[in-house]
Amino acid sequence: MRMRKILVAVTLLALVVGLAGCGAPKQPATTSPGLDTSGDTNRTIVEIDAKKLEELIQTDRDLVIIDVSGKWAEGHIVGALDTPLDKLQEIINGNFTLNASKHFVVYSHDEESSKKAANILLTSSFTVINRLVGGYDAWVANGGYTEKQP
């Protein structure tokens, strides 16, 4: 388990490379689940459903999934990074920045945490941000792959 935490931390740090200075933050904008997100989604929070996330996982090689619930060990989407909401801003403010060429999906076990996290990412100059509506429960209800830590 310690090795997995180290691996997750190293993976997150490896992603942390190059976004500084991408312009002033803009007020959050959101779109509804089910809308076509193939257009310009930069500088907005796109609310997606579990089916859309499944499609993104299959097609988007630059996708990074961030679990901000603080309950990662209790169950998470396979491949999701364990980044609790209370540590997200600290990670962003550190000497590292997440790679601007990546696309992010943020989710939690509750709606409020994922909304806060998406706004933190947006106001910190991230450009492609998706928020999983319904969070972990919606993913499980859709039959998405999950894993738990022993």
Side-chain angles (χ1 to χ4, degrees):
M1 183 162 138
R2 180 180 170 108
M3 188 63 167
R4 184 169 265 276
K5 284 184 180 182
I6 291 170
L7 179 60
V8 169
V10 169
T11 302
L12 184 56
L13 290 177
L15 293 172
V16 182
V17 191
L19 178 65
C22 285
K26 166 178 158 177
Q27 288 298 324
T30 61
T31 60
S32 298
L35 292 180
D36 179 9
T37 59
S38 60
D40 181 14
T41 59
N42 287 343
R43 306 295 303 141
T44 60
I45 298 166
V46 179
E47 294 188 334
I48 62 170
D49 59 18
K51 288 183 182 185
K52 180 64 178 179
L53 175 54
E54 187 174 340
E55 178 186 317
L56 290 173
I57 289 170
Q58 306 266 335
T59 61
D60 189 343
R61 295 183 337 179
D62 292 323
L63 189 67
V64 177
I65 303 170
I66 302 174
D67 180 332
V68 297
S69 69
K71 299 179 179 180
W72 189 83
E74 295 173 26
H76 57 274
I77 296 172
V78 172
L81 299 175
D82 180 18
T83 311
L85 180 61
D86 62 344
K87 297 193 191 285
L88 181 61
Q89 191 65 59
E90 179 183 330
I91 291 168
I92 293 169
N93 290 344
N95 293 328
F96 308 103
T97 54
L98 295 171
N99 190 324
S101 68
K102 300 294 182 183
H103 305 147
F104 296 89
V105 173
V106 64
Y107 79 93
S108 184
H109 288 245
D110 68 271
E111 291 292 292
E112 288 307 308
S113 293
S114 65
K115 287 177 183 178
K116 287 177 185 176
N119 282 314
I120 289 170
L121 291 168
L122 186 65
T123 58
S124 297
S125 298
F126 290 77
T127 57
V128 181
I129 305 157
N130 297 286
R131 187 183 77 81
L132 177 59
V133 174
Y136 181 76
D137 292 338
W139 180 252
V140 170
N142 190 58
Y145 292 112
T146 63
E147 60 185 358
K148 296 180 182 182
Q149 289 306 120

